[in-house]
Amino acid sequence: MPLETVLTDSINNATPLTATATILVCDDDPTVRLLARECLESDSMKVLEAKNGEEALALFAQCQPDLIFLDVDMPRLNGFAVCKAIRQTEKGQTVPILIATGANGNRSIDQGFEAGATQYKTKPINWALLSRDVKYMLRAAEAFAALKAQQVQLRTLAYYDPLTSLPNRRSFVDQLTQSLNEAAGHQRPLGLLMVDLDHFKRIHDPLGEALSDSLLKVVAAGLQERLGALAPRGPDPHEAINRSELGSMTIDLMRPGGDEFNIIVRNMKDSQTLTQIASLVLETLNAPLTFRDNHLVLSASVGIAIAPEHGLEAEAIIRRANIALSAAKLSGRNRYRFYDDTLADDAERKLRLEADLRDALESPDQLFMVYQPQIDTASGLISGVEALVRWSHPELGPISPALFAPLAEGSGLISQLGDWIFKRVDTDIQSLKESLPSYLTISINLSPLQFTQANFLETLKVRLSELQSNNAIELELTEGVIMSDADDSLLKLHELRKAGFRLAIDDFGTGYSSLSYLKDFPVNTLKIDQAFVANLGNDSGNSIVRAILALAEALDLDVVAEGVETQEQAHFLTRHHCKILQGFLLAKPIPLQEVVEILDVDFSHMYRMAET
Ligand code: C2E
Ligand code: MG
Ligand code: MG
């Protein structure tokens, strides 16, 4: 609503307030009080009388009148002092005050306005007009209140995120800039934490827009509650306050957009405080959450930068917190990282490595495949292999695919790498064709991005038809990828099965599988994530693995346990009917030729319990 409309509407429409308004009349002259009462009451207003300043203050505090008629010239506490005192109270900031000054009072009118008066009348009062003037003042006050409310609303729209009611990106930049200026003045460090929910898309897509929004609201409220218990929020820079008095720690949570949250920490003691806050954020998000019948575990990556150590300007602090955030994501998510200069170097190194990977794809021997045997616990023999890519960098030596596969995704090299892997596996198979038994399953990992590419199915079908192999080819997909768009995945998985591939869910247990989907997915195998195998030996670790094994049995799926490193793990898994074992205990990834050489080896002594 335009401002003029608010004003005229409010003045034109006789509001209930003017009819029932309570007016406090303060004058030491009883005649003035009497006449004022007569005039105002005849217009349906209620009148309270005070015969001096002290009484006026007491009545004001007690009765909250809607307007005050105040004589200036009173013994002891004069009208100016009363006016000032009222303005200093919280409720007294907006109440209209009409002062009555002596006739020759230009100076006294000025003084009245300085003390906070709204309007003045000179004595002798024209009683015929008093009631009308009072009404006008009341309506103007109402209009002013309406305007103020509207201003607050506009400010809320401009600076707050409507979903979570947290300050938005605009407010974040303002607050950071202002806080940095203050921090510089006080020489106190300031911390910025940038929080990004891990793989939120995987949760967002199956939930849909509306439910994801409600989830973000729940997350925001949870974070706000925990952070609020540590320290109060700082002042809103869009409200006038006395900033010089602010000295203790404040924590402000904001939502610049999407699944990101920012936290500004002012007046902290040292950077240890930021470690505590970051840990608290991760802990809060990691707590299992039941949301509309979905059991979710969220996690986030957090990047931290500190002023003045990492810069003085908002732009520098934001950039560095962002670099730290990327580093936290790259080193495996669900963690926090402080900015340091080596991280900026890392970003540069990453770019160089991308260029090197491009070269490696063209060069004959920097990339190669190794095959890790998988042991069938029933026979003790190798029943399959997982093909794993290796990069031997000319200067840096071996680089893990866990590191360069995401790099290939980020730089658009992933289809090329995927093609290269299929071709190389084919070459390896062809070169050993005579000695490869047909029962040997060969597993190939697919990168998450590959699976979501538009031409993915066509390319793979061509690849399979080119593979002149008698061996079953099993494609490994991670759980998160399949779940990110479960309906679309279902179609693709069916197509892949039709094309003749077997399918495995890799790293099972780490993602967000909804069991209702799992039973519909046409997969053959679940691969229990290494982390769960590593965690065997304690009650909770054991029960998770037992639950996955029971689930696989119920759904009639094969199970491969990955990362089996100890005999105890192998014993446990075999005892609970895990069909296939894979891990360093049994065999490391080796060239396919070497796999062929150990096809007759019986591995069962490694996992069978000694008879005691
Ligand atoms: P993954 O598919 O879960 O592969 C299993 C990883 O565990 C392999 O690491 C393997 O060497 C390692 N591993 C096997 N046994 C043990 C054990 O007993 N203990 C421990 N600690 N580790 C064990 P690798 O080869 O470094 O691969 C890491 C990840 O990189 C793979 O995880 C996969 O996601 C990706 N990757 C590997 N090769 C390829 C590939 O050819 N294509 C694609 N797209 N991704 C690949
Ligand atoms: Mg795998
Ligand atoms: Mg795995």
Side-chain angles (χ1 to χ4, degrees):
M1 204 189 312
L3 303 189
E4 307 89 276
T5 325
V6 177
L7 253 174
T8 38
D9 276 6
S10 171
I11 291 171
N12 291 342
N13 305 333
T15 57
L17 175 65
T18 46
T20 59
T22 303
I23 316 297
L24 171 61
V25 176
C26 174
D27 203 306
D28 54 341
D29 180 345
T31 323
V32 172
R33 295 204 301 272
L34 183 72
L35 286 170
R37 178 185 285 280
E38 287 287 312
C39 296
L40 297 171
E41 281 184 350
S42 70
D43 239 341
S44 311
M45 287 179 254
K46 229 180 108 188
V47 174
L48 301 169
E49 282 183 41
K51 50 183 180 302
N52 54 44
E54 290 83 351
E55 250 184 58
L57 289 178
L59 273 174
F60 175 75
Q62 214 178 1
C63 309
Q64 301 292 319
D66 301 300
L67 184 142
I68 302 168
F69 175 98
L70 187 58
D71 180 28
V72 164
D73 205 7
M74 294 188 290
R76 291 199 310 278
L77 211 51
N78 69 16
F80 303 135
V82 175
C83 195
K84 258 194 204 142
I86 287 175
R87 288 296 182 230
Q88 269 160 16
T89 64
E90 202 195 317
K91 298 258 169 57
Q93 282 168 23
T94 50
V95 66
I97 301 179
L98 174 64
I99 53 166
T101 68
N104 55 349
N106 263 354
R107 171 74 199 113
S108 125
I109 291 167
D110 287 346
Q111 242 179 310
F113 282 130
E114 276 158 26
T118 317
Q119 190 52 281
Y120 72 94
K121 283 213 161 280
T122 47
K123 283 184 175 177
I125 305 281
N126 181 346
W127 295 108
L129 294 180
L130 178 70
S131 171
R132 203 205 67 175
D133 290 350
V134 161
K135 272 192 190 167
Y136 185 85
M137 281 178 72
L138 283 170
R139 285 182 197 155
E142 271 183 6
F144 182 71
L147 268 180
K148 254 201 105 152
Q150 208 184 32
Q151 226 173 26
V152 169
Q153 206 183 353
L154 284 174
R155 198 168 55 80
T156 307
L157 283 177
Y159 293 106
Y160 289 85
D161 162 40
L163 181 68
T164 59
S165 305
L166 292 174
N168 62 13
R169 185 181 304 279
R170 190 164 160 194
S171 181
F172 159 64
V173 177
D174 283 1
Q175 291 210 35
L176 186 63
T177 310
Q178 190 158 44
S179 310
L180 282 169
N181 290 339
E182 278 169 17
H186 291 99
Q187 299 185 325
R188 306 272 316 244
L190 173 144
L192 170 64
L193 293 90
M194 285 192 154
V195 182
D196 192 300
L197 299 184
D198 294 333
H199 300 301
F200 191 68
K201 199 172 145 38
R202 291 182 192 166
I203 301 174
H204 174 278
D205 291 354
L207 280 182
E209 197 65 38
L211 283 185
S212 300
D213 275 359
S214 332
L215 177 62
L216 282 171
K217 230 169 126 167
V218 171
V219 169
L223 285 175
Q224 183 64 71
E225 191 188 323
R226 299 291 301 271
L227 294 171
L230 277 187
R233 291 191 216 184
D236 185 332
H238 312 294
E239 263 169 21
I241 45 121
N242 184 1
R243 312 196 130 255
S244 59
E245 288 169 8
L246 303 162
S248 47
M249 180 164 88
T250 60
I251 302 180
D252 282 274
L253 177 69
M254 332 207 162
R255 180 179 177 236
D259 57 346
E260 295 164 39
F261 293 93
N262 290 342
I263 300 168
I264 297 179
V265 185
R266 283 174 271 223
N267 293 319
M268 58 184 188
K269 215 167 73 224
D270 49 37
S271 61
Q272 186 59 31
T273 311
L274 297 179
T275 308
Q276 281 162 8
I277 295 173
S279 308
L280 184 77
V281 167
L282 296 181
E283 186 192 299
T284 307
L285 293 169
N286 286 165
L289 178 80
T290 304
F291 180 74
R292 318 264 164 129
D293 295 336
N294 292 284
H295 300 291
L296 298 171
V297 175
L298 300 174
S299 70
S301 306
V302 183
I304 308 172
I306 307 171
E309 200 179 321
H310 303 140
L312 294 168
E313 306 280 314
E315 191 262 329
I317 294 295
I318 293 174
R319 190 157 37 84
R320 296 198 155 143
N322 247 322
I323 291 177
L325 174 62
S326 303
K329 285 189 196 165
L330 259 181
S331 48
R333 301 172 197 270
N334 196 24
R335 68 197 60 213
Y336 62 84
R337 283 294 291 264
F338 278 86
Y339 173 81
D340 71 65
D341 286 336
T342 60
L343 294 183
D345 297 348
D346 280 354
E348 219 168 89
R349 208 173 300 139
K350 204 177 119 198
L351 275 179
R352 238 196 358 254
L353 219 51
E354 271 173 25
D356 292 349
L357 182 59
R358 221 173 282 271
D359 292 344
L361 282 164
E362 306 293 331
S363 97
D365 49 9
Q366 281 191 39
L367 294 171
F368 58 96
M369 300 304 294
V370 285
Y371 299 81
Q372 187 173 31
Q374 299 174 326
I375 312 300
D376 180 346
T377 50
S379 67
L381 299 177
I382 297 174
S383 62
V385 288
E386 176 176 5
L388 295 160
V389 65
R390 292 288 172 264
W391 180 12
S392 166
H393 190 282
E395 286 148 36
L396 303 172
I399 296 179
S400 163
L403 200 139
F404 71 81
L407 203 70
E409 289 201 344
S411 58
L413 287 174
I414 197 65
S415 328
Q416 221 178 319
L417 180 65
D419 283 355
W420 184 94
I421 287 168
F422 259 84
K423 281 202 190 114
R424 178 53 66 90
V425 170
D426 185 37
T427 315
D428 288 347
I429 294 175
Q430 297 316 319
S431 68
L432 291 164
K433 201 160 189 163
E434 305 304 313
S435 30
L436 268 190
S438 60
Y439 65 79
L440 197 76
T441 305
I442 297 172
S443 302
I444 300 178
N445 291 282
L446 287 186
S447 103
L449 201 73
Q450 253 175 311
F451 186 67
T452 52
Q453 273 168 354
N455 58 354
F456 159 80
L457 278 172
E458 288 63 37
T459 325
L460 263 192
K461 282 187 203 163
V462 173
R463 289 274 157 265
L464 187 67
S465 65
E466 283 170 2
L467 275 177
Q468 312 258 314
S469 160
N470 297 322
N471 298 86
I473 302 290
E474 185 163 88
L475 301 178
E476 294 191 5
L477 286 154
T478 56
E479 198 183 354
V481 171
I482 302 180
M483 286 302 159
S484 71
D485 185 348
D487 291 326
D488 182 56
S489 296
L490 196 58
L491 289 176
K492 281 187 179 158
L493 296 181
H494 275 294
E495 285 288 319
L496 289 174
R497 284 298 298 273
K498 257 196 257 160
F501 292 103
R502 283 173 58 89
L503 298 173
I505 301 188
D506 202 357
D507 304 342
F508 185 77
T510 54
Y512 310 94
S513 280
S514 103
L515 292 181
S516 57
Y517 267 112
L518 193 60
K519 70 176 176 2
D520 297 329
F521 283 142
V523 295
N524 307 82
T525 308
L526 293 188
K527 297 193 75 178
I528 304 180
D529 190 63
Q530 310 197 359
F532 294 120
V533 175
N535 213 6
L536 282 175
N538 61 60
D539 283 350
S540 78
N542 291 355
S543 57
I544 292 177
V545 170
R546 268 203 306 266
I548 297 178
L549 289 169
L551 175 74
E553 197 163 357
L555 297 174
D556 202 18
L557 299 174
D558 287 347
V559 193
V560 179
E562 284 190 281
V564 181
E565 291 185 350
T566 68
Q567 279 203 320
E568 289 70 30
Q569 293 164 350
H571 287 157
F572 181 93
L573 290 159
T574 321
R575 211 168 53 237
H576 291 91
H577 314 295
C578 179
K579 197 167 167 228
I580 297 162
L581 303 182
Q582 179 184 347
F584 294 166
L585 171 72
L586 303 134
K588 295 210 159 152
I590 45 181
L592 194 56
Q593 170 63 41
E594 290 178 29
V595 176
V596 168
E597 287 161 17
I598 54 171
L599 283 172
D600 292 334
V601 172
D602 182 355
F603 287 85
S604 60
H605 64 281
M606 293 182 169
Y607 55 82
R608 229 160 251 158
M609 293 285 268
E611 310 273 338
T612 47

